[in-house]
């Protein structure tokens, strides 16, 4: 957190200085109240003239307290809010840089809880926690100094019980941290379950499993409730103990103080170790006022321990996330290609997933020349998607295996590499935004004419203008309001407007009819002349007009040739062609 404190040090300093001024000004109030009691209980008859100066002084103090507290909140709480925003921003940027592997191993719900409840615990401590720490330090010291000056014996009576809070609080903090960690881990499970349930709500409804999911949620929610209650009980127990100690100290103080005042009033002051306690009603009122001021730092100390226990636990979780190793990063002196032609070369390429036990791809060797349209076919699980993901450097690979324009992609700047590839993923993810912004995702300043041209390229323009709001139609979460074919075609339009030298379509026309598929493929052939296009397909009709087709079989290259040649050299392609012919005949 050091860098955030340094960045907003001026704001924080303004708030801290204002808080110190407020703490100092507060201590004048008991003095003025003691003066009033002294005047009232004195031998002279009280007059308005005696009281007015005190009232004026109290008014000035109240103005100082008002201005000081406003400035304190403006400085400390504003700095805290800005620190929270910066921390969340850095966490989001970190999340964008982490590899695919990280998201395979960590659930989205858990990560969301770091961005919500954990970061809120950090913000609470940096804001209100800072205010309470300043109060606990300065208000306590200033109060105790004034109390000791007023009467040493009563000061010891008031202070000694309160010191026990510091010792006990230090022991309680570790216990509270453990309970908060258990609560946060339970909260993670709750988030995970809720996220997964809402994402798969259509499956749950279609299988009529609402009751089953409700019971599972009820169990997780009960565990979360129990953990929250344990945290609450721990905090409340600590607060009650603080109140009991403060109450006991105040009762003892009032009893002894009242006795000292009585003895002084009858001209027989109490004497301890040759020290005569001359306690008047006014002095006792002032002293009780100082103790009353001291009560807040004692209560604040308990709240600080609670906040710190949450802060320490939550910050450790956030720190672990921010310190996670970024597997995918640029090498030193990364190369930026100013004009990518689109040549792609694989040489003896092997690939194994980080958590895998064996290679998904083996000895992959082939070359795509600039401007070629190449199809990739093979059985499910043969490694087609893994192959193109490797080209995008979504995972680290060995050097000397994949090249673009004869430059190793491990030496290329990652941003430059991905900027030159337009990718249509298999799952066709759409954002919860309107269709216009989904298509123009690569450039939000794109003109509507360009967006419509891309929609025509993907043969989805007529569908879009058929909606009530046309291109301003909101797709809903993950494009839930659209059909599978519409989502696929909008994804294709989104990739097309990028106008990249390399375009990859990963099984992106599987949900459209034959006529629409032919239109899209014709547009690719016409509009992307001179640019490299890779099409992964489950139907050979999709890649029938490709210059070459790569046939994968169990993670290996079975053949790489023209469609006509494959009919004679590739058993897998021959079988696919035969089955498709039977299907069309049926």
């Amino acid at each position: 957190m050091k860098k955030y404190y340094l960045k907003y040090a001026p704001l924080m300093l303004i708030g801290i200085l204002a808080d110190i001024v407020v703490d100092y000004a507060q201590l004048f109030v008991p003095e003025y109240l003691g003066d009033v009691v002294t005047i009232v209980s004195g031998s002279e008859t009280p007059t308005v003239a005696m009281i007015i100066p005190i009232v004026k002084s109290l008014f000035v103090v109240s103005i100082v307290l008002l201005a000081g507290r406003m400035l304190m909140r403006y400085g400390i709480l504003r700095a805290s809010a800005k620190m929270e925003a910066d921390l969340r921003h850095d966490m989001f940027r970190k999340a964008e840089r982490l590899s695919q592997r990280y998201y395979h191993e960590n659930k989205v719900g858990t990560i969301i809880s770091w961005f919500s409840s954990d970061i809120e615990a950090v913000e609470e401590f940096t804001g209100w926690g800072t205010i309470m720490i300043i109060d606990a330090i300065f208000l306590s010291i200033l109060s105790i100094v004034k109390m000791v000056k007023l009467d040493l014996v009563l000061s010891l009576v008031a202070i000694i019980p309160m010191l026990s809070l510091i010792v006990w609080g230090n022991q309680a903090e570790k216990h509270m941290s453990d309970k908060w960690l258990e609560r946060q881990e339970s909260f993670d499970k709750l988030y995970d379950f809720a996220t997964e349930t809402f994402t798969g709500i259509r499956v749950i409804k279609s299988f009529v499993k609402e009751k089953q999911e409700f019971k599972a949620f009820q169990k997780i929610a009960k565990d979360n409730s129990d953990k929250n209650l344990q945290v609450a009980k721990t905090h409340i127990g600590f607060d009650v103990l603080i109140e009991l100690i403060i109450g006991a100290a105040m009762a003892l103080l009032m009893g002894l103080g009242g006795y000292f005042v009585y003895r002084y009033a009858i001209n027989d002051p109490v004497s301890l170790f040759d020290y005569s306690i001359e306690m008047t009603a006014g002095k006792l009122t002032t002293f009780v006022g100082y103790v009353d001021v001291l009560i807040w730092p004692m209560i604040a100390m308990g709240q600080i321990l609670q906040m710190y226990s949450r802060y320490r636990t939550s910050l450790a979780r956030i720190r672990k996330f921010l310190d996670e190793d970024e597997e995918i990063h640029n090498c030193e002196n990364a190369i930026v290609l100013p004009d990518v032609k689109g040549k792609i070369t694989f040489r003896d390429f092997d690939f194994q997933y980080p958590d895998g036990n064996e290679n998904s791809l083996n000895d992959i060797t082939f070359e795509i020349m600039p401007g070629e349209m190449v199809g990739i076919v093979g059985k499910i699980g043969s490694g087609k998607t893994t192959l193109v993901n490797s080209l995008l450097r979504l995972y680290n690979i060995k050097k000397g295996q994949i090249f673009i324009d004869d430059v190793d992609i491990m030496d290329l700047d990652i941003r430059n590499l991905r900027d030159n590839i337009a990718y249509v993923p298999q799952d066709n993810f759409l954002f919860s935004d309107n269709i216009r912004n989904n298509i123009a995702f690569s450039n939000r300043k794109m003109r509507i004419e360009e967006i419509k041209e891309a929609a025509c390229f993907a043969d989805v323009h007529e569908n879009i203008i058929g909606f009530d709001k046309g291109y301003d139609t909101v797709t809903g979460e993950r494009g839930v309001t659209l059909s599978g074919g519409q989502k696929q075609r909008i994804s294709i339009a989104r990739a097309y407007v990028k106008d990249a030298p390399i375009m990859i379509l990963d099984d992106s026309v599987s949900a459209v009819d034959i006529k629409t598929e032919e239109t899209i493929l014709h547009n690719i052939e016409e509009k992307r002349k001179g640019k490299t296009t890779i099409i992964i397909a489950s139907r050979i009709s999709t890649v029938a007009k490709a210059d070459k087709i790569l046939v994968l079989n169990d993670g290996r290259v079975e053949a790489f040739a023209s469609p006509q040649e494959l009919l004679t050299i590739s058993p897998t392609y021959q079988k696919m062609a035969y089955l498709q012919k039977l299907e069309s005949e049926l």
Side-chain angles (χ1 to χ4, degrees):
M1 295 297 293
K2 182 179 177 182
K3 65 176 182 178
Y4 303 109
Y5 276 109
L6 289 174
K7 183 176 179 180
Y8 297 108
L11 263 180
M12 192 67 79
L13 189 60
I14 288 170
I16 290 171
L17 291 174
D19 198 6
I20 293 171
V21 170
V22 167
D23 290 345
Y24 182 73
Q26 273 183 265
L27 295 172
F28 284 100
V29 176
E31 291 181 16
Y32 296 144
L33 293 177
D35 291 343
V36 170
V37 172
T38 300
I39 291 170
V40 172
S41 62
S43 56
E44 296 182 37
T45 304
T47 63
V48 174
M50 294 178 182
I51 303 296
I52 285 177
I54 298 174
V55 173
K56 287 181 178 178
S57 298
L58 281 169
F59 181 74
V60 172
V61 169
S62 67
I63 295 298
V64 171
L65 292 177
L66 175 65
R69 283 185 173 134
M70 288 176 67
L71 200 58
M72 171 190 74
R73 282 165 169 76
Y74 173 81
I76 296 175
L77 298 185
R78 186 178 174 83
S80 173
K82 286 180 174 289
M83 289 161 67
E84 178 195 14
D86 283 3
L87 179 59
R88 185 176 277 112
H89 176 266
D90 290 346
M91 288 172 67
F92 189 83
R93 292 298 301 271
K94 177 73 175 185
E96 289 184 316
R97 293 194 300 268
L98 289 172
S99 68
Q100 298 286 91
R101 177 197 61 80
Y102 186 81
Y103 294 103
H104 289 161
E105 296 175 359
N106 295 273
K107 292 185 177 181
V108 174
T110 301
I111 297 170
I112 290 173
S113 74
W114 300 338
F115 277 81
S116 52
S117 59
D118 281 311
I119 207 168
E120 285 168 7
V122 172
E123 189 269 342
E124 179 187 44
F125 183 76
T126 56
W128 287 109
T130 300
I131 291 173
M132 290 178 183
I133 289 170
I134 299 301
D135 286 346
I137 294 172
F138 287 93
L139 204 53
S140 297
I141 292 172
L142 293 172
S143 298
I144 290 169
V145 168
K146 286 188 173 287
M147 286 164 60
V148 170
K149 283 183 178 179
L150 203 59
D151 192 274
L152 179 61
V153 175
L154 284 182
S155 297
L156 292 173
V157 170
I159 293 168
I160 289 175
M162 294 184 181
L163 290 176
S164 63
L165 286 175
I166 299 173
V167 177
W168 189 83
N170 187 51
Q171 300 298 319
E173 190 275 326
K174 176 67 170 63
H175 179 67
M176 287 188 285
S177 292
D178 293 341
K179 291 296 180 185
W180 182 254
L181 178 60
E182 290 175 12
R183 184 260 185 195
Q184 291 301 86
E185 289 174 347
S186 175
F187 197 57
D188 292 347
K189 293 176 183 176
L190 189 69
Y191 252 132
D192 289 337
F193 187 87
T195 303
E196 191 174 76
T197 299
F198 297 143
T199 302
I201 192 68
R202 285 184 291 182
V203 177
I204 293 169
K205 286 180 177 293
S206 64
F207 280 85
V208 199
K209 291 296 179 182
E210 292 90 343
K211 286 186 178 180
Q212 175 182 297
E213 292 300 301
F214 175 75
K215 287 180 180 178
F217 178 79
Q218 196 174 35
K219 185 178 178 181
I220 295 171
K222 177 67 168 58
D223 178 69
N224 182 255
S225 174
D226 291 343
K227 294 293 191 299
N228 273 286
L229 282 172
Q230 289 173 14
V231 170
K233 285 177 181 177
T234 303
H235 289 175
I236 289 169
F238 189 67
D239 288 342
V240 168
L241 184 64
I242 290 173
E243 294 289 346
L244 286 173
I245 291 174
I246 290 172
M250 186 63 81
L252 185 62
L253 175 67
M254 294 297 288
L256 275 175
Y259 177 70
F260 293 159
V261 170
Y262 167 72
R263 290 286 297 270
Y264 182 75
I266 62 174
N267 294 319
D268 183 22
V270 176
S271 180
L272 292 173
F273 305 107
D274 297 326
Y275 173 71
S276 180
I277 302 174
E278 300 178 354
M279 181 63 65
T280 65
K283 284 178 69 175
L284 180 61
T285 302
T286 300
F287 193 90
V288 170
Y290 289 149
V291 174
D292 193 49
V293 170
L294 186 61
I295 286 174
W296 163 239
M298 293 299 103
I299 294 173
M301 197 174 298
Q303 294 186 10
I304 288 165
L305 288 171
Q306 294 173 24
M307 284 185 186
Y308 180 70
S309 66
R310 297 194 293 265
Y311 166 81
R312 190 163 67 96
T313 304
S314 293
L315 190 63
R317 284 155 55 93
I318 292 171
R319 185 188 296 116
K320 183 181 178 183
F321 172 68
L322 290 173
D323 289 344
E324 186 70 29
D325 183 41
E326 295 174 17
E327 299 173 19
I328 312 298
H329 52 77
N330 284 328
C331 64
E332 286 187 35
N333 304 314
I335 299 169
V336 175
L337 292 176
D339 183 24
V340 173
K341 305 299 181 187
K343 182 181 178 182
I344 301 169
T345 307
F346 281 75
R347 292 180 191 162
D348 302 319
F349 175 61
D350 298 320
F351 182 82
Q352 181 177 314
Y353 282 100
D355 55 349
N357 297 319
E358 55 185 32
N359 285 353
S360 299
L361 294 169
N362 293 281
D363 302 324
I364 304 296
T365 300
F366 66 94
E367 188 171 73
I368 301 172
M369 301 307 293
E372 282 188 333
M373 184 165 75
V374 173
I376 301 178
V377 297
K379 294 183 294 184
I380 293 172
S382 59
K384 303 185 292 296
T385 298
T386 301
L387 187 72
V388 295
N389 282 344
S390 303
L391 184 62
L392 285 158
R393 250 202 91 183
L394 297 180
Y395 299 94
N396 279 328
I397 60 170
K398 298 174 187 175
K399 290 192 70 173
Q401 292 193 329
I402 303 178
F403 302 83
I404 290 181
D405 290 355
D406 297 321
V407 178
D408 195 321
I409 66 167
M410 294 300 291
D411 294 329
L412 282 174
D413 177 82
I414 296 173
R415 186 181 181 87
N416 175 244
L417 168 68
R418 293 174 183 170
D419 265 347
N420 284 287
I421 299 175
Y423 179 47
V424 184
Q426 200 170 24
D427 59 0
N428 301 297
F429 183 90
L430 296 181
F431 296 94
S432 300
D433 203 341
N434 59 43
I435 294 172
R436 178 206 299 258
N437 289 338
N438 264 291
I439 293 176
F441 183 68
S442 60
N443 179 11
R444 287 297 173 88
K445 296 179 181 179
M446 195 172 294
R447 293 180 295 111
I448 188 63
E449 290 77 15
E450 296 175 274
I451 294 170
K452 287 180 178 178
E453 181 191 345
C456 291
F457 171 87
D459 199 26
V460 74
H461 174 71
E462 294 299 325
N463 291 121
I464 295 171
I465 61 174
F467 298 135
D468 290 339
K469 295 184 179 179
Y471 283 86
D472 291 321
T473 301
V474 176
T475 63
E477 188 176 6
R478 294 175 174 264
V480 70
T481 61
L482 304 175
S483 69
Q486 288 168 341
K487 284 194 287 187
Q488 279 193 338
R489 285 176 286 161
I490 290 172
S491 297
I492 293 170
R494 180 171 61 193
Y496 174 74
V497 291
K498 196 176 180 183
D499 196 28
I502 300 171
M503 185 175 184
I504 300 171
L505 285 81
D506 188 356
D507 206 13
S508 301
V509 290
S510 58
V512 302
D513 56 69
I514 300 296
K515 186 178 180 234
T516 303
E517 178 185 316
E518 288 175 355
T519 302
I520 294 170
L521 294 173
H522 173 75
N523 290 338
I524 290 173
E525 195 176 358
E526 291 295 317
K527 301 279 180 76
R528 285 193 55 82
K529 281 183 179 176
K531 295 176 181 177
T532 304
T533 304
I534 298 174
I535 303 173
I536 295 176
S538 54
R539 297 192 298 248
I540 63 168
S541 60
T542 306
V543 292
K545 294 184 179 180
D547 297 308
K548 291 178 183 175
I549 297 174
L550 177 72
V551 181
L552 291 177
N553 190 5
D554 292 331
R556 297 179 182 274
V557 175
E558 182 176 289
F560 181 56
S562 66
Q564 293 76 25
E565 292 175 307
L566 289 176
L567 288 171
T568 59
I569 64 172
S570 171
T572 300
Y573 189 82
Q574 290 169 1
K575 185 176 180 180
M576 290 177 70
Y578 176 69
L579 290 174
Q580 190 166 314
K581 183 180 178 183
L582 285 179
E583 184 181 6
S584 62
E585 287 177 359
L586 285 170

